[in-house]
Amino acid sequence: MTIVATSAPASAPESSQSAISWGAILAGAAVAAATSLCLFVLGSGLGFAAVSPWSNAGIAAGTFAVSAAIWLVVVQWLASALGGYVTGRLRTRWVGVHTDEVFFRDTAHGFLAWCVSTLIAAVLLGSAVVGTVSSGVQATTAVLSGAAQGASQGAAQAAGNATDPTGYLVDTLFRSVADQLPPATPATNPGDVRSEAARIVATGIASGEMPDADKAYLAQLIAARTGIPAADAEKRVNDMLAQVEATKTKAKEAADAARKAATTTMLLGFVALLVGAFIAAVSAALGGKLRDEDVPSTT
């Protein structure tokens, strides 16, 4: 069997001009990043104008989150379109290159401009978001700390050792028999009764459920202190526990709503980034085509 060697066709000389116009890419990325920043500031202003710290005023949290996600999509699309178009119009004209190759290079330039602008925007917006979140967390922590400190001081003033973690266990050692609780008298120290009741309630909330024995004893403490019938005292205890459960349920619902809003925002943001990359590539191809068509013919 004879093997016939075939010579490879002579390749065309390599062009000294780079296929990548980094100047056009950086210019388009700067335009896209600046546009994103301007639109983000505009959206933040509109968002702050729409929300309100007062109840029944401003838009709901869920509506605000959806609106913010939609605005991020609009920002991404507009900035990507403008940045990609600028990249296509400013790139160097390639001479002697097939039109398909020119189209590919233009789309690649638009995609690279989108990548650079996205990184710039991520750094800028990330710093802004971190700063905003940090300020909010610090403010919230200060409020909660102040409230907790105030509550602790109030309990400490009412009963010197009310915050002792072993106080509840010690109280159980000295509980009176259920039907032998002392009647309410002017000599009774209200601080002792309140501190013991506070420890019972705090322990029930921490464990997630108050035992029946604690409920009965707490009701008898209330009846002995206030002089109301035992049935009314038990109703007060049950109402208080119902309020605690309602507060916990509202907190869980708020946390779940925030989770859903964050999920929606992240998913829409992901779609916006993908579409933004596509728009940047198409806009760069359009800009490059117009750039080549605008070259005057020499006669």
Side-chain angles (χ1 to χ4, degrees), residues 73-93:
V73 173
V74 174
V75 169
Q76 178 63 215
W77 291 1
L78 293 178
S80 298
L82 185 58
Y85 181 79
V86 170
T87 300
R89 290 303 297 265
L90 296 182
R91 56 93 170 152
T92 304
R93 183 169 183 265

Side-chain angles (χ1 to χ4, degrees), residues 140-205:
T140 304
T141 303
V143 172
L144 294 178
S145 299
Q149 183 178 3
S152 299
Q153 289 177 353
Q157 292 175 357
N161 200 24
T163 57
D164 184 3
T166 62
Y168 171 77
L169 298 178
V170 175
D171 290 341
T172 60
L173 299 177
F174 295 95
R175 285 183 179 178
S176 303
V177 181
D179 56 353
Q180 295 181 1
L181 286 175
T185 60
T188 304
N189 185 2
D192 294 338
V193 178
R194 288 178 175 271
S195 62
E196 183 177 6
R199 287 190 290 268
I200 295 174
V201 172
T203 303
I205 294 176

